[in-house]
Structure formats: structure tokens, C-alpha cells
Amino acid sequence: AIQADAEIIADLSTRQELDKLTLCQKMKPSADAILGISSRAYEVVHSLMQQLRPSGLDELGLVEALHDLVTTWQKRHKYIRCTFTTEGDLYHLGETVNIHLYRIVQEGLTNIAKYAQATQVFIHLNSEPIQQILMLSICDNGRGMDITQHKRGLGLIGMRERAQALAGDLQLESAPGDGVEIILTIPIAEEYLQKHRKWIHQEETGILNESDSSVVS
């Protein structure tokens, strides 16, 4: 489309019989179209880059990156009220844990938008220093489901795999008409966090950080 409009502008620029005002009037629709299309292309590429690697995690940290994720999601789903709250110290978890938590929240919100028919969503992230565990809860007031008959979707499988990668546990609680609650529990004792930190990119061995696998998820 950009090429077609550019060709129109190029063709018009060679037509000497047109006065300047007429030329500008004929060029303007094509120029506006190029601006609109390129702007949309930028938005799509930016969105894809965010899906491949949420830059906010590096720049802002987990809590602010999740706030940004929730805010962006809320703008697209204005009929659903989403509340995000946190407790405890969430700034020492490390890159691998942060990415898995971010992706689980992202997938949870995607599922809610697709299937839940909810009007309210509550996301709570709590770091318990005494028990040395982290709990993530994603709860909605949607139509719910019968978990004994419901087929496991790829989204839920992916979330369980991420929980297992963090030596944690992911539980699904729901009933028809009673919404859905996803509860993730992971250990955050230093021995576990140190284990996750070992999956750092090793230039000399070519081993990738485990968190980089999110690119292909």
C-alpha cells in the first residue's frame, strides 16, 4: 500500500501541466495514507517486540512492568476492571523468575479476554519472607468452568511448565458461574534464586539463559 501511494506521488510530481495547488491537493491523500500505514506498521512491530522480550522488565523491574502490562491490557478491554496489587519485596527475584511471572500474568489476561466473559479481574503478587515463598493469584468473576471436564488449553499447559521450571506449583480453581482463580506458588529462598541465576548466557559455551526460551513460546 505504501509503495502504491508512493508511486502515485512520484507520478504526480512529473506532471508539469498541474499547477502547484492542484498538485498538492492530489498528493495529500496518498501522503496521508502513507503516514497512517507506516504508523500502524510501527505499532505492530513495537507490539511484536514487546511479546518477544518485555523491555520494561530490564528498565523498570517486575512490578512496574506488570503495572504497564495491566494498564495496556485494560485500555484494550475497557469493559473489564483489572486490579493489580503487590506485597513484600519483589525486586530481588532475578531475570529468569521475573520473565516467567510476567508471561504467566500475560497468558492469564489473554485467557480472560478470550473466554471468561468477566467484568472484574484481581491480580495479587505476594512475597512471603518468613515462608520464603512467592504467591501469584489471578482471579476473575467470569463464567467459570467445570475443571473435571474442561480440556487443558495450551495457555494453561504453558503456565504449568513455567511454574515447574521455577520448582513451583500452579493450581486452577473454578466452577461454572463462579469465575476462575489461578494460584501460583514458587519458592524464593536464596538457594532457589541462585539456581535460577545459573542459567545466564555463557558466551564461551553458547548456552542460552533459560528465560530466552520465552522468545519461542
Side-chain angles (χ1 to χ4, degrees), residues 30-192:
S30 293
D32 289 342
I34 289 175
L35 288 172
I37 296 166
S38 59
S39 176
R40 175 57 181 158
Y42 173 84
E43 291 174 1
V44 170
V45 171
H46 184 263
S47 176
L48 289 171
M49 290 174 65
Q50 286 292 98
Q51 292 176 43
L52 292 172
R53 173 68 182 180
S55 59
L57 282 174
D58 300 322
E59 300 168 2
L60 306 173
L62 176 63
V63 174
E64 291 304 319
L66 287 176
H67 271 298
D68 184 65
L69 172 65
V70 169
T71 299
T72 302
W73 184 86
Q74 181 77 85
K75 289 178 180 178
R76 295 198 306 268
H77 308 283
K78 296 181 180 180
Y79 57 92
I80 308 176
R81 181 180 179 181
C82 187
T83 303
F84 173 56
T85 56
T86 64
E87 286 183 65
D89 180 10
L90 298 164
Y91 295 93
H92 68 294
L93 302 174
E95 180 184 28
T96 300
V97 176
N98 286 348
I99 286 181
H100 281 308
L101 291 173
Y102 184 95
R103 295 302 186 197
I104 288 172
V105 173
Q106 187 178 48
E107 186 61 42
L109 289 173
T110 299
N111 288 343
I112 290 170
K114 286 183 177 179
Y115 310 116
Q117 299 180 6
T119 58
Q120 289 185 317
V121 179
F122 300 94
I123 302 172
H124 184 64
L125 192 58
N126 181 23
S127 174
E128 289 280 356
I130 297 177
Q131 300 181 48
Q132 293 188 311
I133 62 172
L134 182 142
M135 295 186 66
L136 168 66
S137 171
I138 306 172
C139 179
D140 69 69
N141 69 341
R143 61 180 181 174
M145 58 184 171
D146 183 348
I147 58 176
T148 63
Q149 298 180 4
H150 186 74
K151 295 181 179 179
R152 298 195 307 164
L154 292 176
L156 184 58
I157 292 174
M159 285 190 278
R160 290 194 188 281
E161 289 176 347
R162 291 185 182 278
Q164 292 169 3
L166 298 176
D169 178 67
L170 188 138
Q171 297 293 326
L172 174 68
E173 298 182 1
S174 183
D178 198 31
V180 174
E181 183 173 18
I182 293 172
I183 303 170
L184 168 71
T185 306
I186 63 170
I188 54 171
E190 183 57 32
E191 61 186 282
Y192 288 98

